[in-house]
């Protein structure tokens, strides 16, 4: 067991050889049954993982599912802050993450000690933190939000309430503009949503005049200004299904195109190009999880998310508030 822990600390996952002929889909499905395990996956996971998952959702949907599941083991095919949220809500369940190094540039942009000092300079401000943050930042927050429910959460507060919004400055700026608030914004951002090339996207729009540009609010303001629709991953997926348009330029991580294309096979989805030589835009953290790592992690029940109980309780309060407000507003992710 110690060998495993050392290896996980170094590599982030158990580097065990898997028989190349093994049918990973049926092996994972068998493990789900024998261990009473549920696989929760984010839309940015690779298509194979989405296909084997029991539930696919955005950050709100995944937190809501984690809060209500009766499985004994939650296997989180997503990134670290998502698995941490599941553990915060399920202290007695085993929460597994296929690769512990699946982090998040946005969560990394808010170190807890620096954020704490910033918060102390503004004692009259309420702290709303985007769920893409560490449990330490959650513990320093009053309410957590996701891109699905941020507006509903703001609408539940008096217009003159002073607010610090962390860590995503793009989502915060978008919300300030939409709600007329003047929230103080932490200077964090997601590397995946900031790398889109406005110039290439404008050219794409010219070449595909019927296509609508749909974008995640983690994108920069200049891109959001020319978007036809802005929303969380679930909202973008729903919009692409219900809108009569047949062509979409999608400005978020490319993993979402799998479900968009599956739900609307007759429509065309073009990934918005990034500011580099790649044609699409993958999150390097999300894509650390693979079907093989998922299988190994379920078989050995490692790597597991663990958490200090005092920290867990402090981080749970603002998540509970988010879940209550979302329920009252009838929001599901
Ligand atoms: P949502 O899934 O809540 O839209 O968030 C997107 C994201 O960047 C997750 O890491
Ligand atoms: Fe973090 Fe951005 Fe990756 Fe989401 S897409 S996990 S916000 S780095």
């Amino acid at each position: 067991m110690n060998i495993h822990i050392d290896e996980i600390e170094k590599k982030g996952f158990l580097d065990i050889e898997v028989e190349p002929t093994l049918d990973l889909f049926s092996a994972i499905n068998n493990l789900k049954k024998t261990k009473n395990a549920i696989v929760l996956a984010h839309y940015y996971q690779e298509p194979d993982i989405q296909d084997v998952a029991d539930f696919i959702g955005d950050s709100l949907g995944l937190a809501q599912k984690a809060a209500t599941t009766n499985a004994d083991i939650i296997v989180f095919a997503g990134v670290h802050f998502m698995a941490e949220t599941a553990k915060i809500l399920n202290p007695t369940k085993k929460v597994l993450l296929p690769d512990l190094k699946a982090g998040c540039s946005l969560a990394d942009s808010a170190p807890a000690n620096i954020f704490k000092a910033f918060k102390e300079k503004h004692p009259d401000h309420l702290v709303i933190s985007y769920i893409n943050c560490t449990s330490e930042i959650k513990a320093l927050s009053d309410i957590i939000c996701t891109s699905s429910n941020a507006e509903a959460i703001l609408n539940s507060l008096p217009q003159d309430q002073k607010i610090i919004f962390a860590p995503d400055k793009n989502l915060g700026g978008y919300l300030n503009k939409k709600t007329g608030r003047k929230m103080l914004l932490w200077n964090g951002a997601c590397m995946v949503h900031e790398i889109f090339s406005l110039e290439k996207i404008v050219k794409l729009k010219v070449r595909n005049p019927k296509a609508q540009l749909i974008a995640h609010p983690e994108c920069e303001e200049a891109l959001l200004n020319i978007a036809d629709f802005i929303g969380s991953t679930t909202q973008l997926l729903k919009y692409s299904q219900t809108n009569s348009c047949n062509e979409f330029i999608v400005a978020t991580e490319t993993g979402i195109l799998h479900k968009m294309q599956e739900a609307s096979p007759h429509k065309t989805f073009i990934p918005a190009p990034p500011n580099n030589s790649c044609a699409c835009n993958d999150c390097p953290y999300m894509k650390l999880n693979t079907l093989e790592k998922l299988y190994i992690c379920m078989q050995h029940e490692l790597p597991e998310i663990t958490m200090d109980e005092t920290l867990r309780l402090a981080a749970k309060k603002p998540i509970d508030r988010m879940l209550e407000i979302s329920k009252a507003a009838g929001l599901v992710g």
Side-chain angles (χ1 to χ4, degrees):
M1 184 62 90
N2 278 341
I3 299 170
H4 282 174
I5 301 298
D6 289 350
E7 186 177 345
I8 287 169
E9 266 178 20
K10 210 160 45 185
K11 294 188 175 173
F13 61 97
L14 278 180
D15 198 0
I16 295 171
E17 192 115 344
V18 176
E19 189 56 49
T21 56
L22 181 71
D23 177 348
L24 287 169
F25 282 90
S26 60
I28 290 170
N29 281 324
N30 283 340
L31 286 171
K32 284 200 265 186
K33 277 191 213 124
T34 53
K35 294 179 184 250
N36 188 26
I38 188 171
V39 176
L40 305 183
H42 189 268
Y43 289 115
Y44 297 164
Q45 291 295 285
E46 61 173 46
D48 281 351
I49 293 182
Q50 294 190 38
D51 290 346
V52 86
D54 297 290
F55 178 84
I56 311 169
D58 65 6
S59 306
L60 175 63
L62 291 165
Q64 287 172 324
K65 191 73 188 170
T68 53
T69 180
N70 51 19
D72 295 316
I73 299 180
I74 299 173
V75 192
F76 221 109
V79 290
H80 196 271
F81 75 81
M82 296 177 172
E84 256 188 357
T85 303
K87 185 66 187 175
I88 291 166
L89 294 166
N90 294 282
T92 59
K93 293 188 202 297
K94 201 171 248 188
V95 177
L96 307 174
L97 180 65
D99 190 325
L100 276 189
K101 290 202 192 294
C104 169
S105 64
L106 191 44
D108 288 346
S109 64
N113 56 341
I114 305 175
F115 184 72
K116 186 168 180 281
F118 176 72
K119 179 187 160 172
E120 281 164 4
K121 280 196 194 145
H122 306 281
D124 54 345
H125 283 57
L126 198 82
V127 177
I128 301 186
S129 295
Y130 191 35
I131 198 164
N132 301 38
C133 64
T134 61
S135 47
E136 286 80 6
I137 294 291
K138 288 186 174 77
L140 290 166
S141 307
D142 296 292
I143 317 178
I144 297 303
C145 75
T146 74
S147 45
S148 282
N149 60 20
E151 237 184 295
I153 283 169
L154 289 179
N155 290 341
S156 74
L157 302 169
Q159 188 68 22
D160 59 354
Q161 172 68 56
K162 291 182 177 172
I163 298 171
I164 291 174
F165 187 86
D168 190 4
K169 64 174 181 199
N170 293 319
L171 174 62
Y174 166 71
L175 291 166
N176 271 348
K177 211 166 152 184
K178 201 148 183 222
T179 64
R181 291 186 187 256
K182 292 188 174 71
M183 297 190 292
L184 264 185
L185 307 181
W186 182 261
N187 188 17
C190 158
M191 60 189 280
V192 178
H193 288 89
E194 281 215 318
I195 206 177
F196 288 114
S197 161
L198 194 63
E199 200 185 320
K200 288 187 197 170
I201 291 172
V202 169
K203 279 186 189 155
L204 253 185
K205 276 192 84 153
V206 172
R207 260 184 263 126
N208 301 274
K210 287 190 187 141
Q212 284 197 15
L213 173 65
I214 57 175
H216 196 281
E218 286 172 26
C219 295
E220 287 177 316
E221 189 182 2
L223 195 160
L224 296 179
N225 283 344
I226 59 160
D228 297 288
F229 179 76
I230 299 165
S232 75
T233 43
T234 298
Q235 289 164 347
L236 295 178
L237 174 61
K238 283 190 185 148
Y239 183 80
S240 72
Q241 286 172 262
T242 52
N243 191 274
S244 59
C245 181
N246 281 326
E247 271 175 70
F248 296 93
I249 299 166
V250 184
T252 189
E253 213 265 7
T254 40
I256 188 70
L257 269 71
H258 178 57
K259 281 287 153 208
M260 285 179 172
Q261 198 66 75
E262 198 177 84
S264 310
H266 58 290
K267 297 192 179 184
T268 303
F269 297 97
I270 308 165
N275 210 353
N276 55 32
S277 54
C278 299
C280 56
N281 200 8
D282 282 328
C283 169
Y285 300 106
M286 286 278 182
K287 294 302 194 298
L288 279 178
N289 295 324
T290 62
L291 205 58
E292 274 198 8
K293 283 184 194 168
L294 179 64
Y295 165 69
I296 294 164
C297 143
M298 290 179 74
Q299 196 187 30
H300 296 269
E301 298 182 19
L302 283 171
E304 185 185 354
I305 302 289
T306 55
M307 199 176 300
D308 169 79
E309 184 61 6
T310 312
L311 173 62
R312 187 189 74 78
L313 289 172
K316 187 170 183 289
K317 265 197 218 163
I319 298 175
D320 285 342
R321 254 189 108 180
M322 169 187 86
L323 293 173
E324 280 156 25
I325 298 170
S326 304
K327 199 172 170 191
L331 293 171
V332 277

